[in-house]
Amino acid sequence: MNKSNHALFFLVATLLLSVLSCNTNDKIQAPSSLTVCEGFTNPIGFYDSHPTFSWQLPQAVQSQSAYALVAASSPELLPNKPDLWQSGKVRSDQSLYVKYKGEDLSSRQEVFWQVKVWDNQGNESKWSRKAFFELGLLHNNDWKAKWINLPDEKAVQVPEINKKVHRVQYLRKDIILDENVEKARLYITAKGLFQAHINGTQVGHDALTPGWTPYQKRIETLTYDVEALLKNGENTIGIELAEGWYSGRLIFRGYAEVDPQVIAQLEVEYKNGDHETFITDHLWSGTVEGPIRYSSIYDGESYDANFDMPAWSTNSFDDTEWTDVAAQSISENVALTPKRHHPVRAKLSLSTQTISKPAKGNVVFDLGQNMAGIPKINIPVKKGQKVRIRFAEMLQPNGEIYTRNYRSAVSTDFYMPVKDSVIEWQPKFTFHGFRYVELSGFDESFAPEKTWVTGLVQYSDFHMAGTFSSSHEKLNQLQSNIEWGLRGNFLDIPTDCPQRDERAGWTGDAQVFIPTSLFIADSHSFWSSWMQSLREDQRENGSVPIVVPDIDGRRTSAGWGDAATVIPWEIYLRTGDVKILEDSYQSMLEWINYYQSVSEDHIVDLFTYGDWLQPFSEHPTDERKGETDEKLVSTAYNARSVDLSLQAAKILGLSEDVTKLRSRLNEIQIAFQNHFFDAEGRVSKGKPTQTAYLLAIGFNLLSPEMEQKAIPHLIAEIEKAENHLRTGFLGTPLLAPVLEKINRTDLMFEMLYKESYPSWFYSINQGATTMWERWDSYTHEDGFHKGGMNSFNHYAYGAIGQWMYERIAGIKPIKAGYKEILIAPLPDGPLSSAQAKYNCPYGEVSSAWKMEKGVFQLNVTIPPNTTAKIVIPGKTGKNLILNGTSFSENADVKLLKKAMDTFELTVLPGSYEFKSFLTQKE
């Protein structure tokens, strides 16, 4: 080799080494989607001074081998001079719920944080963008303000609705700011409902704040950044105060014997560094002579424009005729704590689809979708002619609205005009469940228009997390109905229904629906918050109320109280957040110990609502309770709760508890089998219902030999019903998993696609746009169900959604938080395709399959820092196609086994397309 060739070789080698060196040292993309605790992004007024941190990896990164996290009191200190915490390089693949281990944090404190990671090849990422959170007022002694209200303002009888309601209070205070504002926070809450204003502008966009908690234990506070609303000089704070859940009429409790109050604290930091605090105290003034004459959760709101007070929350308003307020110090018995999930907001709007005139002077506007929220009306009115706004979920045969199922809830709004005009108005401190809006009292010289009524859909301010669709129109409608059932009942707490005189947090409905809800919606914080309320309302003997917050004060029920164990476990399984188990474990133990206290030889003798609203029930005293033996239901749920407590103890590393709980579970299983089943696997106590067998098999309460004997009896009960379900609230969620467990998914698909009563599609055929409380709440043939329980927005039967997502589309967690994912779709029935996407804690996971001309195609996406097991149907004697070519194992995809016309593979993060060839059966 001559010198020039040597030089050329050296140059090329040097350049190649340089490129390789650059590639090795290049930083990978930074982590993103930084959140704290249950998925909060840059929150202010945050509740947790011991937070956890989560992040997602870039799509190009398969897995994490290490991370470093820094936290500081100022963004300028990051990443090099963190004064609160620096983790150092931690060798771990953990990217969810990393516990803060830094300096103690206090009320009002701002924390800024960043994270970087190393991938599985050891490559270091850039630092993430800076995220932050700001704590709210964490302790009662942080409050200098006092509770205020107008003295002696009691509920009054309102003739037009024949109910007692508190009049809405208007409260105000003028303040002076001497300097330009750098930062301002309004901390506020109410015993009742509030809406704050500063200088004539509404503060925030939340509704029905502060929400509903066990008020005798805890009231949540809201924090608002109000710097932009303030000015140098004169300012005014105004607050509207309504009765809400705290002081209003509620089922079981009736009329409350307490009056609404509000407390607020405005903390201002000036640009010169000074601080000033303005509080609610005896120096405020108020009136009830404002335009909102009253507002009630159940009964609606009345607005009289003759009482309008223009600019009442500005400093130009004359309040000399107003009354001095009463002020009361904070009680140490009730904790004021920052709200720990997102408040209610108007999330969607629905336009009128059709207009009808069933009676003279009444016009009905059909929004086309049952919903929960409020109307926004834009109508012509005449001076002194009161507008009445009524609501309904359904129409009677004559076209008039059907309100019998609202029971005692008046659910009517009124508007009194001050002059002939076109008004735009919406109620503020109530909500309704409705599809139809009936207007009367408008100016009838105008022809009604669709623009007159818009539905504002209200629910807690979370994002929808999962989607599902298929080739089957009615299955897609079922999915829509499930989603709208969630939207209609996730209004600050999980309610049973949004329309009648109930709207309570029924624990049984909640525990059967939570798996479905966590797929549809990013409801992690929603459920965690409600579980804190459940723990607070749990009684000293360990019993759990039938509703939370507990407005009943008396009853508990098997299958309902088990929300104490089921919900924490489901939150953990689907989010990976172990904190919910840490927080709830003692409550779980107290519940199963309560079961034990009402048991004899492990057979539970406890009231239960049973398999609620089982169709064709012949219960001797209450047909709503279903026919399954009540002790069987209670004992089965005791075993279920002991099992979940056992699983929680394993996760928490409580080895002694694991041993004790495993022994207890084994004893209950033996007692259950011996007491409720004969030697041939038949139910021996009570009626041999579908639900009795489903509980026994679904909760693993029979020995393997006895389970095999019981299976034919379950099938016989289903066949006796001509392959229809005969299950209520507790049995229905078990149908799909049990029939899959015993290899009878063919039967489950047949039941799912049934068109006749009772079935999911039956209510769709009757016009359902949400989930109904009964399978036959309404029928074209017989009209409305005659029973008093007849809600057209009740999510319990939407629990089937879990199986639709996990098995029809095929996305299911194997390990908590979807750290390991099962993709195993079931192509069966009349479907030719199905697809689902879910934003799991690690990122988006998707599964989409279709069948065409004997070819099964599956497209999947697996998020970073996870792995997946994929089960694909197809002839194992033919080649599997991966991304367009014949399959062969590689670093990302490995074949586990071929068995029973399926391929089982493990895959690393990424997007893949598989094709297989189906057998004739498929």
Side-chain angles (χ1 to χ4, degrees):
M1 188 180 290
N2 59 36
K3 288 185 178 181
S4 61
N5 285 340
H6 274 293
L8 181 61
F9 175 82
F10 180 77
L11 179 61
V12 170
T14 302
L15 288 172
L16 189 59
L17 285 171
S18 176
V19 169
L20 290 173
S21 175
C22 286
N23 285 342
T24 301
N25 294 327
D26 274 352
K27 292 183 180 294
I28 60 175
Q29 192 176 350
S32 61
S33 301
L34 275 63
T35 60
V36 289
C37 294
E38 297 93 353
F40 293 90
T41 302
N42 298 336
I44 69 168
F46 194 54
Y47 78 94
D48 196 345
S49 61
H50 299 88
T52 59
F53 303 98
S54 301
W55 57 88
Q56 292 180 358
L57 302 184
Q59 283 298 122
V61 174
Q62 284 196 334
S63 61
Q64 172 186 297
S65 63
Y67 69 85
L69 198 152
V70 290
S73 57
S74 169
E76 290 77 17
L77 297 175
L78 296 180
N80 298 319
K81 297 180 180 180
D83 60 339
L84 295 178
W85 182 44
Q86 51 183 336
S87 68
K89 184 176 181 180
V90 179
R91 298 191 180 279
S92 169
D93 66 350
Q94 184 180 1
S95 56
L96 303 179
Y97 316 113
V98 172
K99 292 184 177 182
Y100 173 75
K101 298 178 181 178
E103 299 293 321
D104 290 341
L105 303 178
S106 57
S107 296
R108 309 175 182 84
Q109 186 158 1
E110 292 179 320
V111 177
F112 299 85
W113 64 286
Q114 285 180 287
V115 64
K116 66 178 177 179
V117 300
W118 286 260
D119 68 11
N120 51 306
Q121 303 298 318
N123 299 310
E124 181 181 352
S125 79
K126 301 175 182 178
W127 283 103
S128 69
R129 291 186 177 182
K130 296 171 185 176
F132 74 91
F133 62 92
E134 178 186 312
L135 293 170
L137 301 185
L138 303 178
H139 310 289
N140 284 17
N141 59 15
D142 292 317
W143 289 84
K144 309 306 177 189
K146 297 181 182 296
W147 291 106
I148 65 169
N149 64 358
L150 289 170
D152 304 319
E153 272 303 323
K154 306 299 181 183
V156 297
Q157 189 74 20
V158 178
E160 64 187 353
I161 60 173
N162 195 29
K163 295 288 188 294
K164 288 200 304 183
V165 187
H166 286 83
R167 294 185 290 181
V168 172
Q169 300 180 30
Y170 292 79
L171 310 166
R172 70 185 305 279
K173 175 74 181 296
D174 294 326
I175 62 174
I176 296 177
L177 304 183
D178 295 327
E179 300 287 343
N180 291 324
V181 175
E182 175 69 23
K183 176 182 175 182
R185 297 289 186 261
L186 178 65
Y187 304 100
I188 184 169
T189 192
K191 297 174 181 177
L193 301 176
F194 73 84
Q195 179 61 70
H197 306 259
I198 293 179
N199 296 327
T201 300
Q202 178 176 304
V203 175
H205 303 285
D206 303 330
L208 303 172
T209 47
W212 192 4
T213 54
Y215 296 122
Q216 75 281 7
K217 301 281 184 66
R218 173 175 57 96
I219 299 175
E220 293 186 318
T221 65
L222 281 296
T223 303
Y224 295 100
D225 179 355
V226 295
E227 180 270 328
L229 302 181
L230 296 169
K231 59 186 179 180
N232 193 340
E234 295 181 339
N235 295 263
T236 301
I237 308 172
I239 303 172
E240 296 163 284
L241 175 63
E243 65 178 23
W245 294 282
Y246 179 82
S247 299
R249 179 174 71 95
L250 295 175
I251 192 172
F252 306 137
R253 184 186 75 185
Y255 291 105
E257 299 299 326
V258 292
D259 301 321
Q261 295 177 305
V262 69
I263 189 170
Q265 187 159 305
L266 174 64
E267 298 188 1
V268 177
E269 179 183 339
Y270 295 112
K271 290 187 181 295
N272 65 4
D274 291 343
H275 293 77
E276 193 168 7
T277 299
F278 304 90
I279 63 173
T280 49
D281 58 17
H282 67 284
L283 298 177
W284 282 57
S285 59
T287 185
V288 292
E289 299 304 326
I292 305 179
R293 307 307 295 153
Y294 65 82
S295 193
S296 160
I297 294 291
Y298 288 167
D299 301 318
E301 185 165 300
S302 182
Y303 189 98
D304 191 336
N306 293 285
F307 291 85
D308 275 346
M309 301 182 296
W312 72 273
S313 61
T314 70
N315 52 57
S316 64
F317 184 78
D318 181 5
D319 65 358
T320 54
E321 300 298 320
W322 286 28
T323 304
D324 292 340
V325 302
Q328 181 182 6
S329 297
I330 293 174
S331 168
E332 290 302 316
N333 295 327
V334 179
L336 301 185
T337 60
K339 192 168 184 66
R340 58 173 300 174
H341 74 102
H342 301 290
V344 173
R345 287 191 172 184
K347 299 283 290 178
L348 300 168
S349 63
L350 298 179
S351 300
T352 295
Q353 301 300 303
T354 61
I355 299 174
S356 60
K357 300 178 183 179
K360 182 174 174 56
N362 291 347
V363 179
V364 174
F365 297 78
D366 179 6
L367 301 177
Q369 172 64 58
N370 202 7
M371 56 161 278
I374 55 175
K376 182 171 72 173
I377 62 171
N378 189 351
I379 60 173
V381 295
K382 294 182 70 65
K383 178 180 179 179
Q385 183 170 299
K386 182 176 287 189
V387 176
R388 185 178 69 170
I389 311 163
R390 300 173 69 208
F391 304 89
E393 298 180 297
M394 299 287 285
L395 297 181
Q396 300 181 66
N398 63 2
E400 295 182 359
I401 61 174
Y402 171 76
T403 60
R404 184 173 178 268
N405 67 320
Y406 285 42
R407 300 192 307 207
S408 74
V410 178
S411 197
T412 301
D413 298 332
F414 296 94
Y415 185 97
M416 175 64 81
V418 69
K419 62 182 179 179
D420 293 0
S421 64
V422 174
I423 59 105
E424 182 176 295
W425 178 78
Q426 63 194 55
K428 186 174 291 186
F429 296 116
T430 188
F431 69 96
H432 309 279
F434 63 100
R435 169 177 171 172
Y436 301 95
V437 179
E438 178 196 84
L439 286 185
S440 60
F442 56 89
D443 187 344
E444 292 187 49
S445 65
F446 291 82
E449 299 178 8
K450 291 181 180 180
T451 56
W452 282 16
V453 175
T454 301
L456 300 181
V457 182
Q458 294 177 319
Y459 54 93
S460 292
D461 188 21
F462 46 68
H463 301 293
M464 304 305 277
T467 63
F468 171 90
S469 61
S470 73
S471 57
H472 197 288
E473 180 180 354
K474 287 183 182 175
L475 193 62
N476 295 340
Q477 183 63 52
L478 175 57
Q479 168 64 13
S480 176
N481 291 2
I482 293 169
E483 290 179 2
W484 279 99
L486 178 145
R487 291 189 182 102
N489 286 289
F490 275 36
L491 195 143
D492 203 70
I493 66 165
T495 60
D496 59 329
C497 60
Q499 78 295 95
R500 68 183 178 223
D501 54 354
E502 203 158 342
R503 315 185 198 187
W506 282 89
T507 47
D509 306 49
Q511 67 93 358
V512 300
F513 188 64
I514 185 172
T516 295
S517 72
L518 284 167
F519 183 94
I520 296 174
D522 183 11
S523 50
H524 183 182
S525 65
F526 176 87
W527 283 112
S528 295
S529 176
W530 190 65
M531 283 308 300
Q532 180 175 348
S533 294
L534 185 149
R535 294 192 298 270
E536 290 165 341
D537 271 344
Q538 191 169 13
R539 299 165 188 139
E540 289 187 7
N541 64 1
S543 65
V544 174
I546 56 173
V547 290
V548 172
D550 183 10
I551 50 176
D552 173 65
R554 299 170 291 131
R555 288 168 290 183
T556 191
S557 168
W560 272 246
D562 300 274
T565 57
V566 173
I567 292 177
W569 180 256
E570 288 292 338
I571 294 173
Y572 166 72
L573 175 63
R574 294 170 195 284
T575 69
D577 188 1
V578 73
K579 186 175 187 297
I580 187 63
L581 297 183
E582 295 169 342
D583 291 345
S584 299
Y585 183 69
Q586 185 59 38
S587 168
M588 298 168 79
L589 292 184
E590 289 173 8
W591 171 242
I592 62 174
N593 288 339
Y594 175 73
Y595 261 136
Q596 194 170 32
S597 73
V598 293
S599 301
E600 184 175 348
D601 297 327
H602 297 295
I603 303 304
V604 178
D605 186 6
L606 175 64
F607 169 80
T608 178
Y609 287 103
D611 197 22
W612 189 247
L613 299 185
Q614 172 212 316
F616 300 109
S617 173
E618 296 179 353
H619 189 282
T621 60
D622 187 349
E623 57 85 18
R624 298 173 302 174
K625 295 180 72 172
E627 300 168 297
T628 306
D629 183 83
E630 293 184 18
K631 289 185 178 181
L632 186 153
V633 171
S634 299
T635 305
Y637 261 98
N638 179 25
R640 174 66 170 156
S641 283
V642 171
D643 189 17
L644 294 177
S645 301
L646 167 61
Q647 302 310 315
K650 290 179 181 178
I651 299 301
L652 297 175
L654 304 173
S655 57
E656 289 187 9
D657 283 9
V658 168
T659 301
K660 293 177 183 177
L661 292 171
R662 184 181 288 121
S663 176
R664 189 193 298 191
L665 177 60
N666 183 60
E667 291 171 4
I668 295 171
Q669 290 168 330
I670 293 170
F672 179 91
Q673 177 173 306
N674 291 340
H675 190 80
F676 295 110
F677 282 76
D678 66 18
E680 301 305 317
R682 295 186 186 89
V683 170
S684 60
K685 295 290 190 298
K687 193 166 183 178
T689 62
Q690 291 180 14
T691 294
Y693 290 105
L694 292 169
L695 288 167
I697 298 171
F699 291 171
N700 300 312
L701 301 180
L702 305 178
S703 67
E705 297 78 16
M706 184 63 76
E707 183 175 291
Q708 289 304 308
K709 292 180 179 180
I711 289 171
H713 300 301
L714 168 61
I715 300 303
E717 289 300 319
I718 295 173
E719 291 174 346
K720 189 188 302 181
E722 298 179 345
N723 290 355
H724 285 76
L725 58 83
R726 289 289 186 270
T727 51
F729 280 22
L730 299 185
T732 301
L734 290 168
L735 276 168
V738 169
L739 289 175
E740 182 177 345
K741 178 181 179 181
I742 65 175
N743 296 315
R744 288 304 308 270
T745 55
D746 61 316
L747 191 52
M748 184 60 225
F749 276 108
E750 182 180 349
M751 296 171 79
L752 177 61
Y753 293 109
K754 286 283 189 189
E755 303 271 348
S756 49
Y757 174 80
S759 67
W760 289 274
F761 288 2
Y762 183 74
S763 60
I764 291 173
N765 292 340
Q766 314 309 310
T769 63
T770 45
M771 301 307 300
W772 289 356
E773 185 172 21
R774 297 177 184 266
W775 300 108
D776 60 345
S777 286
Y778 172 83
T779 71
H780 294 311
E781 181 178 354
D782 298 322
F784 297 101
H785 196 282
K786 301 304 186 289
M789 314 287 294
N790 201 29
S791 163
F792 291 92
N793 200 341
H794 228 86
Y795 55 57
Y797 287 136
I800 187 61
Q802 176 186 1
W803 196 69
M804 291 161 57
Y805 319 138
E806 292 184 352
R807 302 304 285 119
I808 294 179
I811 300 175
K812 182 178 182 179
I814 296 176
K815 292 184 178 178
Y818 293 80
K819 180 66 172 175
E820 185 177 350
I821 304 163
L822 175 66
I823 305 290
L826 285 174
D828 208 334
L831 291 184
S832 60
S833 67
Q835 48 274 327
K837 291 182 180 180
Y838 174 59
N839 290 314
C840 82
Y842 293 96
E844 183 179 283
V845 53
S846 66
S847 170
W849 62 264
K850 63 180 180 180
M851 296 186 293
E852 188 173 0
K853 297 179 180 179
V855 176
F856 179 83
Q857 179 176 318
L858 175 65
N859 291 79
V860 301
T861 299
I862 307 302
N865 217 27
T866 67
T867 58
K869 176 182 176 181
I870 299 181
V871 181
I872 303 170
K875 296 180 181 178
T876 53
K878 290 194 174 184
N879 283 341
L880 181 67
I881 307 300
L882 170 60
N883 296 332
T885 61
S886 183
F887 170 75
S888 61
E889 287 192 342
N890 56 54
D892 296 338
V893 184
K894 296 190 180 299
L895 181 67
L896 286 177
K897 65 178 180 179
K898 300 178 182 180
M900 295 183 66
D901 295 326
T902 59
F903 299 88
E904 294 187 18
L905 310 104
T906 57
V907 303
L908 296 180
S911 295
Y912 307 91
E913 179 185 276
F914 298 94
K915 288 184 179 180
S916 64
F917 300 91
L918 299 177
T919 63
Q920 187 64 39
K921 177 184 176 182
E922 294 157 340

